[in-house]
Amino acid sequence: RFKLLFCNGGPLLPAQYMRYDYVQVQTPEQLRDGLEAGYPEPNLFLIPPGLNCKPFTRKLDGEAVQSQRRIWNLPTDRSLILSVGAVNMSHKRMDWLVQEFSRLDPSQFFLWIVGQMDTETEEVKQLAATLLQPNSYKFDTVPYAQMPQVYTIADYFVLCSLTEGLPRVYLEAMSAGLPIIVNQSSLTEWVLESDNLGLVNMQQSGTLSDKILYFESNPTARNQQAQSNQLTAKARFDWSSLCDQYLEMYDQILHRK
């Protein structure tokens, strides 16, 4: 009889994966949920998803950043705030991002939203057209192969969703050495470390815009946090760091009767 290993990347609720022989969960929260639901502990493996960090770590000098921004039709005279995710309101809360960005000086900051369009996208775009100056923001959908270039020319990464599984965009932005501003939760404290300066309450109006202004006026703190993010991504989520854990999981499964 074959053995089925299910990777809970969705993630699904425990009731939906009880029929599988083994389950790989990707966060401590998923592990806790599985154990509380009664899934056998020996058959649960906590291993996060791996990322090849190297393509995202390429650094450009100032002139090269400006050149790339021109290619993407982005301004070169402002700090670039990047958000990557489905352009919706119900999950990624891009409407909240637009509202928070409206508090910032458009001569100092530019908002770039990159992601898949869906049924809620038009409403997000309408909100942006209402609240923001026309030359202060841009929406794009970008092939994944070009995403390393996208992160390379940004100054900040922001995601306003309140709950996530373990989004790859966190790891990509960390690998790119960006300061990351996301909702504080048990997940983000685990991924980014609990003392990360970019953890904020995304349900409290003004906290996101205030944090961006804090980083902008404190370049030393911003750069130190960005460097720490990159080191954390490499040490904990790069395939070179996770490979042995995956091999050990497969070995245990293969040799169990």
Side-chain angles (χ1 to χ4, degrees):
R1 178 184 178 273
F2 68 86
K3 301 173 183 178
L4 198 152
L5 167 65
F6 174 71
C7 177
N8 194 28
L12 298 181
L13 296 173
Q16 298 171 286
Y17 62 66
M18 285 293 183
R19 65 186 183 276
Y20 301 127
D21 300 305
Y22 302 95
V23 174
Q24 176 196 346
V25 293
Q26 300 187 336
T27 68
E29 188 173 17
Q30 290 181 21
L31 178 63
R32 182 202 65 206
D33 291 345
L35 293 175
E36 289 180 352
Y39 194 88
E41 183 174 5
N43 296 2
L44 275 175
F45 298 88
L46 171 56
I47 309 177
L51 177 73
N52 179 12
C53 295
K54 187 175 181 180
F56 296 92
T57 59
R58 184 171 66 97
K59 284 293 182 184
L60 302 178
D61 60 30
E63 185 175 335
V65 168
Q66 290 193 352
S67 176
Q68 284 296 313
R69 285 191 183 181
R70 293 189 192 99
I71 292 174
W72 289 96
N73 294 316
L74 297 167
T76 60
D77 60 346
R78 283 167 274 178
S79 292
L80 182 59
I81 300 170
L82 171 68
S83 188
V84 179
V87 186
N88 60 39
M89 300 177 295
S90 55
H91 182 204
K92 302 302 181 181
R93 300 176 77 234
M94 294 297 186
D95 55 327
W96 183 271
L97 173 58
V98 168
Q99 292 170 23
E100 287 292 298
F101 184 78
S102 70
R103 296 170 173 266
L104 300 173
D105 182 353
S107 69
Q108 188 178 6
F109 298 97
F110 188 89
L111 176 61
W112 192 18
I113 296 178
V114 176
Q116 187 67 38
M117 308 298 166
D118 71 12
T119 57
E120 298 175 348
T121 299
E122 191 56 39
E123 192 169 347
V124 176
K125 289 185 173 182
Q126 289 176 4
L127 181 66
T130 300
L131 297 182
L132 308 181
Q133 293 187 10
N135 63 346
S136 67
Y137 68 94
K138 188 171 186 273
F139 291 88
D140 276 316
T141 299
V142 176
Y144 185 74
Q146 295 180 314
M147 287 306 299
Q149 302 172 34
V150 169
Y151 290 103
T152 299
I153 59 176
D155 294 299
Y156 302 96
F157 175 84
V158 173
L159 196 64
C160 296
S161 50
L162 300 179
T163 60
E164 291 284 354
L166 202 171
R168 181 174 291 268
V169 293
Y170 285 0
L171 311 185
E172 293 168 352
M174 291 167 67
S175 299
L178 292 177
I180 297 173
I181 308 174
V182 295
N183 185 58
Q184 185 164 17
S185 67
S186 59
L187 169 71
T188 54
E189 289 179 353
W190 179 69
V191 175
L192 293 165
E193 310 291 356
S194 60
D195 61 348
N196 195 295
L197 295 176
L199 301 180
V200 302
N201 181 358
M202 284 288 183
Q203 298 184 87
Q204 183 175 331
S205 183
T207 55
L208 171 54
S209 54
D210 286 349
K211 182 61 69 172
I212 292 172
L213 292 173
Y214 167 80
F215 276 138
E216 190 75 4
S217 61
N218 293 274
T220 299
R222 179 186 68 223
N223 294 336
Q224 288 177 344
Q225 188 60 74
Q227 183 180 30
S228 176
N229 290 343
Q230 190 173 59
L231 292 173
T232 297
K234 175 67 175 177
R236 294 180 53 205
F237 300 105
D238 189 78
W239 276 117
S240 62
S241 301
L242 291 172
C243 182
D244 287 346
Q245 295 181 49
Y246 275 84
L247 291 176
E248 174 65 20
M249 174 177 66
Y250 299 145
D251 185 70
Q252 288 188 37
I253 291 173
L254 287 172
H255 290 90
R256 286 185 190 175
K257 295 182 179 180

